[in-house]
Amino acid sequence: MSAPRVVPATPDAVAEAGRLIRAGRLVAFPTETVYGLGCDATDDRAVALVFAAKGRPEFNPVIVHVGGREDAARLARFDARADALAAAFWPGALTLVLPRTENCPVSLLATAGLDTIALRAPSHLIARALIAATARPIAAPSANRSGKVSPTTAAHVAESLGEEVALILDGGPCPLGLESTVLDLVGAAPTILRPGAVTEEAIAAVAGPLAQHEDRARPAAPGMLARHYATRLPLRLAAREVRPGEALLAFGPDAPTGAPLTLNLSPSGNLIEAAANLFAMMRTLDRPGLTGIAVMPIPEAGLGRAINDRLRRAAAPG
Ligand code: TXA
Ligand code: MG
């Protein structure tokens, strides 16, 4: 498998990427959360190529990226609550799951045959420029092989995906480093299906009290597999000491010493910094010759909830 072409995301490269997507090809691009593997969301064949490139189970629907609320109107039915959330958080790292409109042009494969659709207007300037250049909704899961750690740099994408990707737009590291929050607005109370870069507290301030989707073992929300974001080495969570042969993923100022390899998510204990570092550090520590990765406890509040969600999935038995 030869490596895909990685190019700096200049205006010319973005224009070329838009033409490639319109021609049914796959393009990886940066967003403020993680890199996405994008295609024309209205093209069934292109969406099928995305599933194949990721090795993704087909029951797992993908997020459709739009320029904003206006583009989204053709694709999904917005009620007052959805409007308020889009006004508050778009463009940004909140994905809204809404009923598909009857004439929604998005591939049924992209929404895995559901009558709902997950929509997000990313804030990253390159993602926005690409959506504008393509002038179509872009279906884009994270640009990693299914079940593996999400990519936060163009190099991560190039490592894990091959020549099925026509182009990788390099826009540097993703500023947030953690996927969007997926919020279901179809049920009676808004429900977080996947905690992410927008905190529950921030959403509740706009939408009122939320129901939490707690059953992590069963993919009631399609694609919420217990084991995901996996490293090859086993993760040991809430570790306060390092065992022989373990690398250490530390957090905060009081990291234990003695690990052969230590990276600190945030020496000052800042959760935003920790989220941005999480996936890249998991990749760096996932080296042969070690017995596992000890992960220090992360507070279960705000962004810490999303970080712990990813760590728990990565640590779940395969
Ligand atoms: O930050 C992000 O969200 C990144 C960037 C590229 O936008 N995308 C991303 O996509 O993480 P993906 O495909 O790796 O994760 C999408 C999540 C999955 O957990 C999927 O099950 C859920 O969203 N999802 C998508 N459509 C859904 C739907 N109609 N109903 C319920 N869940 C849905
Ligand atoms: Mg993903």
Side-chain angles (χ1 to χ4, degrees), residues 4-8 12-18 20 25-29 36-38 130 157 162-170:
R5 192 154 63 95
V6 183
V7 297
D12 281 352
V14 171
E16 185 195 354
L20 285 166
R25 307 290 303 279
L26 312 188
V27 171
F29 64 99
L37 179 59
L130 179 63
V157 182
E163 60 198 5
E164 49 283 62
V165 182
L167 194 68
I168 300 174
L169 289 176
D170 187 349

Side-chain angles (χ1 to χ4, degrees), residues 2-220:
S2 71
R5 192 154 63 95
V6 183
V7 297
T10 60
D12 281 352
V14 171
E16 185 195 354
R19 285 193 296 275
L20 285 166
I21 291 179
R22 290 179 71 92
R25 307 290 303 279
L26 312 188
V27 171
F29 64 99
T31 80
E32 69 278 23
T33 59
V34 300
Y35 274 73
L37 179 59
C39 75
D40 176 353
T42 67
D43 181 341
D44 286 312
R45 200 185 138 276
V47 174
L49 286 177
V50 167
F51 281 107
K54 282 186 60 90
R56 176 169 207 165
E58 295 202 359
F59 51 77
N60 194 356
V62 302
I63 295 172
V64 175
H65 298 72
V66 294
R69 169 71 180 85
E70 265 168 51
D71 295 356
R74 216 159 52 97
L75 312 182
R77 290 203 307 273
F78 281 68
D79 57 13
R81 192 172 57 188
D83 274 331
L85 285 161
F89 295 105
W90 283 8
L94 179 65
T95 295
L96 301 177
V97 175
L98 294 165
R100 280 176 71 118
T101 55
E102 234 150 72
N103 55 358
C104 175
V106 167
S107 156
L108 283 170
L109 185 59
T111 54
L114 300 171
D115 50 17
T116 56
I117 184 167
L119 291 175
R120 174 163 109 79
S123 65
H124 196 293
L125 292 180
I126 294 165
R128 295 179 64 73
L130 179 63
I131 293 165
T134 309
R136 304 219 175 130
I138 297 181
S142 51
N144 51 282
R145 289 198 59 82
S146 190
K148 301 295 180 194
V149 177
S150 291
T152 55
T153 67
H156 293 161
V157 182
E159 266 162 44
S160 60
L161 297 175
E163 60 198 5
E164 49 283 62
V165 182
L167 194 68
I168 300 174
L169 289 176
D170 187 349
C174 301
L176 298 175
L178 194 66
E179 297 89 343
S180 63
T181 304
V182 179
L183 184 70
D184 184 308
L185 290 178
V186 179
T191 306
I192 291 185
L193 300 180
R194 178 180 72 180
V198 174
T199 64
E200 183 180 329
E201 291 85 344
I203 296 169
V206 176
L210 306 185
Q212 189 87 28
H213 175 69
E214 287 293 1
D215 189 356
R216 299 181 190 283
R218 207 174 334 134

Side-chain angles (χ1 to χ4, degrees), residues 276-299:
N277 284 331
L278 179 68
F279 290 140
M281 289 187 174
M282 282 169 70
R283 280 170 191 266
T284 306
L285 295 181
D286 195 16
R287 287 217 195 134
L290 297 163
T291 57
I293 303 172
V295 185
M296 287 179 68
I298 314 283

